[in-house]
């Protein structure tokens, strides 16, 4: 975890960093030269199995430490490609690559942030997932973490803001802001009263 925070990279990268560069071992009285690379992969699997509980615990701790108010939710997706075949990864699929690598199998990553930029929830999805189809499940699970129904402002890219998604957000009482890259006519928030399902125009 310390390696991912200070020098993000793969398990192999973390292994090399802790063995050859970091002084973390001295701080916790552990010699990483006695560790094996396979142990790092095993630990990563154990942590991933508890991902949801860890994400929630970390976020609630951040809320207490920094007095965060969860009023804004930022949601977006990206994807990355496999150099190999990805045949052992059930989520590896061919799709539209944001890195212009549609010749390689992809995996999609979704991330929810709060208004201060703290990660709230993450998900790894199939590489050919239809992006608008992911919003409802992500927000349902997010609200289900603590059972709260207080109003949140959802900020999302135009690619996620399908008509069905906007209708669902309105039906659930969410306020939303969409960044549009075209000249489509959209309702704009009134100055003094925040309206359900309004847009902020950018550019």
């Amino acid at each position: 975890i310390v390696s991912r925070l200070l020098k993000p990279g793969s398990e192999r990268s973390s292994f090399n960093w802790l063995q050859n560069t970091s002084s973390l071992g001295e701080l916790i009285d552990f010699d990483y030269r006695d560790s094996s690379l396979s142990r790092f992969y095993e630990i990563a699997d154990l942590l991933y199995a508890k991902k949801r509980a860890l994400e929630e615990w970390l976020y609630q701790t951040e809320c207490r430490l920094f007095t965060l108010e969860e009023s804004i939710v930022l949601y977006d997706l990206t994807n990355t490609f496999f150099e190999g075949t990805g045949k052992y990864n059930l989520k590896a699929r061919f799709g539209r690559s944001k890195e212009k690598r549609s010749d390689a199998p992809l995996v999609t990553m979704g991330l929810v942030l709060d208004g201060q930029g703290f990660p709230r929830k993450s998900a790894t999805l199939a590489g050919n997932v239809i992006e608008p189809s992911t919003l409802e499940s992500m927000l349902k699970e997010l609200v289900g973490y603590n059972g709260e129904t207080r109003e949140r402002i959802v900020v999302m890219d135009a690619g996620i803001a399908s008509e069905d998604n906007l209708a669902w957000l309105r039906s659930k009482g969410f306020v939303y802001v969409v960044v549009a890259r075209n000249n489509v006519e959209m309702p704009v928030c009134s100055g003094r009263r925040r309206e359900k399902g309004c847009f902020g125009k950018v550019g």
Side-chain angles (χ1 to χ4, degrees):
I1 293 173
V2 171
S3 174
R4 290 291 170 85
L5 289 171
L6 299 182
K7 190 179 182 301
S10 65
E11 283 80 0
R12 181 181 292 275
S13 173
S14 296
F15 178 69
N16 291 332
W17 179 72
L18 288 165
Q19 280 201 324
N20 303 313
T21 306
S22 172
S23 60
L24 178 64
E26 297 175 20
L27 294 175
I28 64 174
D29 193 25
F30 183 83
D31 191 348
Y32 282 100
R33 290 174 297 182
D34 295 333
S35 296
S36 65
L37 177 58
S38 62
R39 183 60 178 152
F40 276 70
Y41 287 107
E42 292 169 2
I43 291 172
D45 289 341
L46 291 172
L47 288 173
Y48 187 76
K50 300 180 182 295
K51 182 178 81 72
R52 175 171 175 171
L54 286 169
E55 284 181 340
E56 180 62 10
W57 183 86
L58 287 170
Y59 187 74
Q60 293 303 327
T61 301
E62 290 164 353
C63 286
R64 290 194 299 271
L65 288 174
F66 302 106
T67 318
L68 303 180
E69 294 184 4
E70 189 184 358
S71 58
I72 298 178
V73 173
L74 308 170
Y75 178 58
D76 203 2
L77 299 104
T78 189
N79 55 36
T80 189
F81 62 91
F82 289 90
E83 291 286 359
T85 64
K87 64 180 181 179
Y88 297 111
N89 189 315
L90 298 178
K91 295 180 180 178
R93 295 286 188 276
F94 287 93
R96 182 176 175 274
S97 171
K98 297 188 178 183
E99 299 173 274
K100 311 301 182 185
R101 284 299 306 270
S102 297
D103 61 311
L106 311 171
V107 66
T108 300
M109 295 161 289
L111 183 64
V112 176
L113 304 173
D114 69 5
Q116 289 75 33
F118 284 90
R120 186 69 180 85
K121 181 182 183 297
S122 65
T124 304
L125 309 165
N128 62 349
V129 70
I130 300 172
E131 291 191 357
S133 69
T134 66
L135 178 69
E136 183 175 337
S137 60
M138 287 287 277
L139 293 184
K140 278 183 175 179
E141 189 171 347
L142 184 69
V143 174
Y145 274 169
N146 47 30
E148 294 181 4
T149 57
R150 60 182 170 176
E151 184 178 88
R152 292 180 177 88
I153 303 172
V154 179
V155 182
M156 57 191 162
D157 188 86
I160 303 172
S162 65
E163 291 184 9
D164 288 342
N165 278 342
L166 299 185
W168 180 81
L169 287 169
R170 288 192 294 268
S171 71
K172 299 300 179 183
F174 284 100
V175 176
Y176 56 81
V177 177
V178 177
V179 178
R181 298 190 181 92
N182 50 39
N183 294 321
V184 175
E185 289 297 322
M186 296 180 176
V188 182
C189 298
S190 59
R192 298 183 61 184
R193 183 173 65 87
R194 188 169 62 188
E195 299 178 358
K196 301 283 191 220
C198 61
F199 289 83
K201 285 191 175 180
V202 177

